Amino acid sequence: MTPSDHVLIVVDVQIDFCSGGALAVPDADAIVPVINQLATNFDVVVLTQDWHPAGHSSFATSHVGRKPFDLIELPYGPQVLWPDHCMQGTRGAELHPGLKIPHAQMIVRKGFRAAIDSYSAFLEADRRSPTGLAGYLTEREVRAATIVGLATDYCVAWTALDARAAGLDVTVVDAACRAIDAGGSLAKANAAMADAGVRRV
């Protein structure tokens, strides 16, 4: 097992992001057994869940004349519009049924404020509202994070960048992630992670 100061953060491995889901990431289901095996090596595990109310501001259906993957400006900055997904209490918001990490200690739900999206497990998209994860990890005296999940170019990358900003040593495991990769988003995310000192293995 890893030392108690090293956390595994499993990002958004939810039904809506997997095969047949409302916002399916290509080949997402393939990472589930990889994550399950990896998690057996960690004492400290945190899971995240997208947890949107109906009519969330990041949904294309909330903006007349807009379609998924359009880019708009919201009060906190640019926002990609998505299909309705991971709505609170729906099957699509549930964790993938194949995910088997019974020793995970915490679930961070994000994106539950109707007017603000939240890719990162640490800060919402306004870059001011904390999720509480940083405080939790500080109190647990965590110094390093390994990050896996969906999708590499959005929630995984934003989480990795914020983990670095919080002072953690950060590794992203490529075999345990998959990307949406729309409009060059994966290359942009990879460059940002490299610039921030995120290790990729």
Side-chain angles (χ1 to χ4, degrees), residues 114-158:
I116 307 173
D117 205 5
S118 185
Y119 298 142
S120 171
F122 289 87
L123 284 173
E124 297 186 7
D126 63 0
R127 315 311 293 150
R128 293 190 305 272
S129 302
T131 65
L133 179 57
Y136 174 79
L137 296 179
T138 297
E139 290 197 350
R140 293 289 301 266
E141 298 183 340
V142 167
R143 295 178 176 83
T146 293
I147 302 173
V148 299
L150 303 168
T152 311
D153 37 347
Y154 287 96
C155 297
V156 169
W158 284 53

Side-chain angles (χ1 to χ4, degrees), residues 12 17 23 50-52 56-59 74 76 78-82 85 110-120 123-127 129 131 154-155 158:
D12 297 358
F17 293 129
L23 183 49
D50 250 15
W51 197 250
H52 298 308
H56 193 269
S57 61
S58 70
F59 295 167
L74 290 179
Y76 54 80
Q79 173 67 52
V80 176
L81 295 180
W82 306 107
H85 66 280
K110 56 192 183 63
F112 53 81
R113 293 181 174 88
I116 307 173
D117 205 5
S118 185
Y119 298 142
S120 171
L123 284 173
E124 297 186 7
D126 63 0
R127 315 311 293 150
S129 302
T131 65
Y154 287 96
C155 297
W158 284 53

Side-chain angles (χ1 to χ4, degrees), residues 8 10-14 29 31-37 39 45-49 94-102 104 148-149:
L8 177 68
V10 180
V11 178
D12 297 358
V13 183
Q14 294 169 260
D29 297 82
I31 71 173
V32 174
V34 180
I35 293 172
N36 287 343
Q37 181 59 42
V45 181
V46 171
L47 312 176
T48 78
Q49 271 182 298
E94 294 174 8
L95 296 171
H96 190 289
L99 199 65
K100 306 297 183 187
I101 313 178
V148 299

